[in-house]
Amino acid sequence: MSEIAVRHRVRAAVFAAKVAAVGPDQWSNPSPCEGWTARDVVGHVVGMHAAMLGPVGRSLSRAPSVEEDPLAAFVSACADIESLLADPSVAARPIETPMGRLSAERHVDQVASADMVLHGWDLARATGQDDTIDPAELEAMWPAVQRIPPKMRIPGAFGPGIVVYGPEVEVPGDAPLQHRVLGLLGRDPHWSA
């Protein structure tokens, strides 16, 4: 199993645990993502998994919808991505992405896999769970989040309705690393419903 596949599997397990811990009455809770509920956060993550499959001629397997069963929908989408990552010829296939030409597996790693880390925080905040991001993830994210291009913060720059990162949220320079990362990603680390 490649390093990218292992990283996706670990991140998916962490995100799945958060999805599983959401109470039945919490799915409509607002999230730190403006206009999104807790269910919408999971729907977005599942949708990003689907978006990784399209460029290699695949699609999500038949599964319950996020509306019917968020956990089952997420687990099924992850299995589809794991199948892509397990096939070396598909994983290595070059595809065009908003970030340039990448292998399918690098696209998964930089988008759908990485998304689970940030959106895991969103889901945790929306539903009152532990929102601590793994310190190793934060350390790995820190160099890149300091160099987010301004275009990535422009709503609709990559298509109608697509917002990659919101405006930077000012965070003190001596704040914990998690707060600084979240601020650069457009999140208020002190957000609450």
Side-chain angles (χ1 to χ4, degrees), residues 65-105:
S65 70
V66 172
E67 195 61 41
E68 296 166 329
D69 187 338
L71 182 58
F74 173 69
V75 168
S76 180
C78 285
D80 292 332
I81 290 294
E82 287 184 11
S83 175
L84 178 160
L85 295 173
D87 183 335
S89 65
V90 176
R93 188 177 302 164
I95 58 172
E96 293 301 327
T97 77
M99 288 104 43
R101 198 164 176 81
L102 297 173
S103 67
E105 70 178 350

Coordinates of all heavy atoms in Angstrom, one line a residue, residues 65-105:
S65 N -27.5 7.4 0.4 CA -27.2 8.8 0.3 C -26.8 9.4 1.6 O -27.0 8.8 2.7 CB -28.4 9.6 -0.3 OG -29.4 9.7 0.7
V66 N -26.1 10.6 1.6 CA -25.7 11.2 2.8 C -27.0 11.6 3.6 O -27.0 11.6 4.9 CB -24.9 12.5 2.6 CG1 -24.6 13.3 3.8 CG2 -23.6 12.1 1.9
E67 N -28.1 11.9 2.9 CA -29.4 12.2 3.6 C -29.9 11.0 4.3 O -30.4 11.1 5.4 CB -30.4 12.7 2.5 CG -31.6 13.3 3.1 CD -31.3 14.6 3.9 OE1 -30.4 15.4 3.5 OE2 -31.9 14.8 5.0
E68 N -29.8 9.8 3.7 CA -30.3 8.5 4.3 C -29.4 8.0 5.4 O -29.9 7.7 6.5 CB -30.4 7.4 3.3 CG -31.4 7.7 2.2 CD -31.2 6.8 1.0 OE1 -30.1 6.3 0.7 OE2 -32.2 6.5 0.3
D69 N -28.1 8.0 5.2 CA -27.1 7.4 6.1 C -25.7 8.0 5.9 O -25.0 7.5 5.1 CB -27.1 5.9 6.0 CG -26.3 5.2 7.0 OD1 -25.4 5.8 7.6 OD2 -26.5 4.0 7.2
P70 N -25.4 9.1 6.5 CA -24.1 9.8 6.3 C -22.9 8.9 6.4 O -22.0 8.9 5.6 CB -24.1 10.9 7.3 CG -25.5 11.2 7.6 CD -26.2 9.8 7.6
L71 N -22.9 8.0 7.5 CA -21.7 7.1 7.7 C -21.6 6.1 6.6 O -20.5 5.9 6.0 CB -21.8 6.4 9.0 CG -20.6 5.5 9.4 CD1 -19.3 6.3 9.4 CD2 -20.9 4.9 10.7
A72 N -22.7 5.5 6.2 CA -22.6 4.5 5.1 C -22.2 5.1 3.8 O -21.4 4.6 3.0 CB -24.0 3.8 4.9
A73 N -22.7 6.3 3.5 CA -22.3 7.0 2.3 C -20.8 7.3 2.3 O -20.1 7.2 1.3 CB -23.1 8.3 2.1
F74 N -20.3 7.8 3.4 CA -18.9 8.1 3.5 C -18.0 6.9 3.4 O -17.0 6.9 2.7 CB -18.6 8.9 4.8 CG -17.2 9.1 5.1 CD1 -16.4 9.9 4.3 CD2 -16.5 8.4 6.1 CE1 -15.1 10.1 4.5 CE2 -15.1 8.5 6.3 CZ -14.4 9.4 5.5
V75 N -18.4 5.8 4.1 CA -17.6 4.6 4.1 C -17.5 4.0 2.7 O -16.5 3.6 2.2 CB -18.1 3.5 5.1 CG1 -17.5 2.2 4.9 CG2 -17.9 4.0 6.5
S76 N -18.6 4.1 2.0 CA -18.7 3.6 0.6 C -17.8 4.4 -0.3 O -17.0 3.9 -1.2 CB -20.1 3.6 0.1 OG -20.1 3.1 -1.3
A77 N -17.8 5.8 -0.2 CA -17.0 6.6 -1.0 C -15.5 6.4 -0.7 O -14.7 6.4 -1.7 CB -17.4 8.1 -0.7
C78 N -15.2 6.1 0.5 CA -13.8 5.8 0.9 C -13.3 4.5 0.2 O -12.2 4.4 -0.3 CB -13.6 5.7 2.4 SG -13.6 7.4 3.2
A79 N -14.2 3.5 0.2 CA -13.9 2.3 -0.4 C -13.6 2.5 -1.9 O -12.7 1.8 -2.5 CB -15.0 1.2 -0.2
D80 N -14.4 3.3 -2.6 CA -14.1 3.6 -4.0 C -12.8 4.3 -4.2 O -12.1 4.0 -5.2 CB -15.2 4.5 -4.5 CG -16.6 3.8 -4.6 OD1 -16.6 2.6 -4.7 OD2 -17.6 4.5 -4.5
I81 N -12.4 5.2 -3.3 CA -11.1 5.8 -3.4 C -10.0 4.8 -3.1 O -8.9 4.8 -3.8 CB -11.0 7.1 -2.5 CG1 -11.9 8.2 -3.0 CG2 -9.6 7.5 -2.4 CD1 -11.5 8.8 -4.3
E82 N -10.2 4.0 -2.1 CA -9.2 3.0 -1.8 C -8.9 2.0 -3.0 O -7.8 1.6 -3.3 CB -9.5 2.2 -0.6 CG -9.3 3.1 0.7 CD -9.6 2.3 2.0 OE1 -9.8 1.1 1.9 OE2 -9.7 3.0 3.0
S83 N -10.0 1.8 -3.8 CA -9.9 0.9 -5.0 C -9.1 1.6 -6.0 O -8.2 1.0 -6.7 CB -11.3 0.6 -5.5 OG -11.2 -0.1 -6.7
L84 N -9.3 2.9 -6.2 CA -8.5 3.7 -7.1 C -7.0 3.7 -6.7 O -6.1 3.4 -7.5 CB -9.0 5.2 -7.2 CG -8.3 6.2 -8.0 CD1 -9.2 7.4 -8.3 CD2 -7.0 6.7 -7.4
L85 N -6.8 3.9 -5.4 CA -5.4 4.0 -5.0 C -4.7 2.6 -5.0 O -3.4 2.6 -5.1 CB -5.3 4.6 -3.5 CG -5.8 6.0 -3.4 CD1 -5.9 6.4 -1.9 CD2 -4.9 7.0 -4.2
A86 N -5.4 1.5 -4.9 CA -4.9 0.2 -4.9 C -4.5 -0.3 -6.4 O -3.8 -1.3 -6.5 CB -5.8 -0.8 -4.3
D87 N -4.9 0.4 -7.4 CA -4.6 0.1 -8.8 C -3.5 1.0 -9.3 O -3.8 2.1 -9.6 CB -5.9 0.2 -9.6 CG -5.7 -0.2 -11.0 OD1 -4.6 -0.2 -11.5 OD2 -6.7 -0.5 -11.7
P88 N -2.3 0.5 -9.3 CA -1.1 1.3 -9.7 C -1.3 2.0 -11.0 O -0.9 3.2 -11.1 CB 0.0 0.4 -9.7 CG -0.4 -0.8 -8.9 CD -1.9 -0.9 -9.0
S89 N -1.9 1.4 -12.0 CA -2.0 2.1 -13.3 C -3.0 3.2 -13.3 O -2.8 4.2 -13.9 CB -2.4 1.1 -14.4 OG -3.7 0.6 -14.1
V90 N -4.0 3.1 -12.4 CA -5.0 4.2 -12.3 C -4.4 5.3 -11.4 O -4.5 6.5 -11.6 CB -6.4 3.7 -11.8 CG1 -7.3 4.9 -11.5 CG2 -7.0 2.7 -12.7
A91 N -3.8 4.9 -10.3 CA -3.3 5.8 -9.3 C -2.2 6.7 -9.9 O -2.2 7.9 -9.6 CB -2.7 5.1 -8.1
A92 N -1.4 6.2 -10.8 CA -0.4 7.0 -11.5 C -0.8 7.8 -12.7 O -0.1 8.6 -13.2 CB 0.8 6.0 -11.9
R93 N -2.1 7.6 -13.1 CA -2.6 8.2 -14.3 C -2.5 9.8 -14.2 O -3.1 10.3 -13.2 CB -4.0 7.8 -14.6 CG -4.5 8.3 -16.0 CD -5.9 7.7 -16.3 NE -5.9 6.3 -16.2 CZ -7.0 5.5 -16.2 NH1 -8.2 6.1 -16.1 NH2 -6.9 4.2 -16.2
P94 N -1.9 10.5 -15.1 CA -1.9 11.9 -15.0 C -3.2 12.5 -15.4 O -3.8 12.1 -16.4 CB -0.8 12.3 -16.0 CG -0.6 11.2 -16.9 CD -1.1 9.9 -16.2
I95 N -3.7 13.5 -14.6 CA -4.9 14.2 -14.9 C -4.7 15.7 -14.8 O -3.8 16.1 -14.1 CB -6.1 13.7 -14.0 CG1 -5.7 13.9 -12.5 CG2 -6.4 12.2 -14.2 CD1 -6.8 13.6 -11.5
E96 N -5.6 16.4 -15.4 CA -5.6 17.9 -15.3 C -6.4 18.3 -14.1 O -7.5 17.8 -13.9 CB -6.1 18.5 -16.6 CG -5.3 18.3 -17.8 CD -3.9 18.9 -17.7 OE1 -3.7 19.9 -17.0 OE2 -3.0 18.2 -18.3
T97 N -5.9 19.2 -13.3 CA -6.5 19.6 -12.1 C -6.4 21.1 -12.0 O -5.6 21.7 -12.7 CB -5.9 19.0 -10.8 OG1 -4.7 19.7 -10.5 CG2 -5.6 17.5 -10.9
P98 N -7.2 21.8 -11.1 CA -7.0 23.2 -10.9 C -5.6 23.6 -10.4 O -5.1 24.7 -10.6 CB -8.0 23.6 -9.8 CG -9.1 22.5 -10.0 CD -8.3 21.3 -10.4
M99 N -4.8 22.6 -9.9 CA -3.5 22.9 -9.4 C -2.4 22.4 -10.5 O -1.3 22.4 -10.2 CB -3.2 22.1 -8.1 CG -3.9 22.7 -6.9 SD -5.3 21.8 -6.3 CE -4.9 20.1 -6.4
G100 N -2.9 22.1 -11.7 CA -2.0 21.7 -12.8 C -2.1 20.2 -13.0 O -3.0 19.5 -12.4
R101 N -1.2 19.6 -13.7 CA -1.2 18.2 -14.1 C -0.6 17.4 -12.9 O 0.5 17.7 -12.4 CB -0.4 17.9 -15.3 CG -0.7 16.6 -16.0 CD -0.1 16.7 -17.4 NE -0.2 15.5 -18.1 CZ -1.3 15.0 -18.7 NH1 -2.4 15.8 -18.7 NH2 -1.3 13.9 -19.4
L102 N -1.4 16.5 -12.4 CA -1.0 15.6 -11.2 C -1.4 14.2 -11.5 O -2.3 13.9 -12.3 CB -1.8 16.1 -10.0 CG -1.5 17.4 -9.4 CD1 -2.5 17.7 -8.2 CD2 -0.1 17.6 -8.9
S103 N -0.8 13.3 -10.8 CA -1.2 11.9 -10.9 C -2.6 11.8 -10.1 O -2.8 12.7 -9.2 CB -0.2 10.9 -10.2 OG -0.1 11.2 -8.8
A104 N -3.4 10.9 -10.4 CA -4.7 10.7 -9.8 C -4.5 10.6 -8.3 O -5.2 11.1 -7.5 CB -5.4 9.5 -10.3
E105 N -3.5 9.8 -7.9 CA -3.3 9.6 -6.4 C -2.8 10.9 -5.7 O -3.2 11.2 -4.6 CB -2.3 8.5 -6.1 CG -0.9 8.7 -6.5 CD 0.0 7.5 -6.1 OE1 -0.4 6.6 -5.4 OE2 1.2 7.5 -6.5

